[in-house]
Amino acid sequence: MARELQLMKGNEAIARAMIASGTDGYFGYPITPQSEVMETLMAEKPWETTGMTVLQAESEVASINMVYGGAATGKKVATSSSSPGISLMQEGLTYLAGAEIPCLVVNVMRGGPGLGTIQPSQSDYFQSTKGGGHGDYQLYTLAPASVQEMYDFVFDAWDIAFKYRNPVLILSDGAIGQCMEKLYTRDYIPRWTEEERRKNAPWGTWGKPATRDHNIITSLELDSARQEVFNHKLQAKYAEMKEKEVRYEMLNCEDADYIIVAYGSSSRIAMKAMQMAREKGIKVGLFRLITLFPFPTKQLAEVAAHVKGILCVEMSAGQMSEDRALRPLRRYHPHSRRGPGGS
Amino acid sequence: MNQDIEARKQELLKEGYEEVYTRTKVLTDAVMHYCPGCGHGTTHRLIAEVIDEMGIQDNVVGVSPVGCSVLAYNYFDVDFQEAAHGRAPAVATAIKRLNPDTFVFTYQGDGDLAAIGTAETIHAANRGENMTMIFVNNGIYGMTGGQMAPTTLVGMRSATTPYGRRVDLNGYPLRMTELLSTLPGTYYVTRQSVQNPAAVRKAKAAIRKAFENQRR
């Protein structure tokens, strides 16, 4: 499929981007408001076209471990879910991070805690950017604000995941997942050939040829000194991401007296508020976060130094505005508008 | 040390001795951590011999999750994944589905396969996943020091049933082999033992059959 203008839901865009980006496998479990991801994949039958495997698992616990098994053979494997299901996946995610397995996980957030609600929310910010599971690890976290970005970020996710051997999280929400917007599709990227897999993932477990040692995928290290060395290696990887892979968007920040900091669907609302303020002559700018980890701390601080005030807008009780990454801004007395999602 | 053994072997062969049995190359030289008397060493060897005899060392992926066999990847000279506790059947499902020509096996204990991973076990079997699950049942959680497992027999003492397993407190031991045999997706399920040479031979034949069933 070539570049083409289409109208579709955010969840459908995720599914179509998976097929178009050469994804090898998807394993999922139904949960509102993201069930259209697997429904679209099943309806499209990509196993008949690109050869992509799609399987409905018995639980989110199983689906994230299927991602582990499949991705550890050096293939592009993904799953998607919504907040309660993502909570169930936290064990799998820390194993994936600990074994340094590239993969893609999509969270179409809904309100919590507990079973919460099926309405949109952004209250998984801490879970996504501050660990979630046990141990010192980070997921590269992308926050799409449009159906187009739902689609595009799937392609970007594979580049980052394999470059850093790290899981990538697309942190969306029920509003972006469910809304329909126009979308430009991309040219199909074929799934990797056997040669490409072996070149791009020499660490993968696909059967040991006589020419190399056996490849082992594990997050276990009983020697604590070696585990410490490994953790330093992980931290160096995250530091490199902070240095090289930060993404953000600045709108009208050059002359702004005030800036709004937001991501995902909140940034869409903030954009409209910015336009309305500008019409009234109030110089408001928008600093939109695209990567939540790594957080654009340095870039945001540079902007914040020249404004009178900062407004953090998010659909949670203030998780993003409480982020330590925003600490350098406190001296500018930011006022945080806090409101939990799902209402 | 291994060079010494190899040198001595060559000497003996020159003296006219015949080699009738040797350790399979599918096992590494690593010293196993298993407790004396445990059947893991034997079971490892049987699987390794089957892989060797089938000539599939370059086309097999093993999965061992948490438990006594968590370090199995150090002993098998094949590509190996260590999985989260109980999740090996899910992990292996994806390995096989994405690599249908590769032989895939899991190596799981009773706490892993029959307690924390019961759902993954039953659903993988019921989907008819084309893979081999080796279930090593010692009736106990060995790695953590001998607590009650789902397969601990009634009356059997363990670290968490110091006066013996009581049905009124702990229920009955779970009979996984019988349970799995009732599922339409299960192709071959058998219970074997490694307690004497005759049993070891039968167990090896069963492992061979379970691996041969993966041929497409």
Side-chain angles (χ1 to χ4, degrees), chain A residues 58 68 197 212 214-215 217, chain B residues 76 79 82 94 99 127:
Chain A
E58 65 269 30
Y68 182 101
R197 171 190 26 182
R212 66 158 164 82
H214 59 161
N215 279 344
I217 296 291
Chain B
F76 288 99
D79 278 1
E82 190 275 315
N99 303 274
R127 282 192 303 264

Side-chain angles (χ1 to χ4, degrees), chain A residues 232-249:
Chain A
H232 283 302
K233 184 189 147 199
L234 279 187
Q235 291 304 313
K237 179 164 85 174
Y238 304 142
E240 190 184 343
M241 284 182 185
K242 285 180 191 170
E243 190 63 38
K244 295 179 182 168
E245 311 295 347
V246 170
R247 291 176 65 176
Y248 57 95
E249 183 184 28

Side-chain angles (χ1 to χ4, degrees), chain A residues 21-85:
Chain A
S21 62
T23 303
D24 293 295
Y26 171 91
F27 300 89
Y29 185 81
I31 183 170
T32 309
Q34 65 77 56
S35 295
E36 294 88 351
V37 177
M38 187 159 51
E39 286 172 5
T40 304
L41 287 168
M42 289 296 184
E44 285 295 304
K45 298 186 195 168
W47 52 91
E48 290 179 359
T49 52
T50 69
M52 177 182 174
T53 298
V54 187
L55 181 66
Q56 180 169 338
E58 65 269 30
S59 67
E60 289 92 345
V61 174
S63 57
I64 193 69
N65 281 283
M66 288 174 183
V67 170
Y68 182 101
T73 69
K75 297 208 168 196
K76 295 178 181 173
V77 187
T79 187
S80 64
S81 189
S82 181
S83 307

Side-chain angles (χ1 to χ4, degrees), chain A residues 293-309:
Chain A
F293 181 86
F295 193 98
T297 309
K298 203 166 54 181
Q299 295 82 353
L300 182 54
E302 282 167 13
V303 176
H306 308 292
V307 297
K308 294 176 187 166

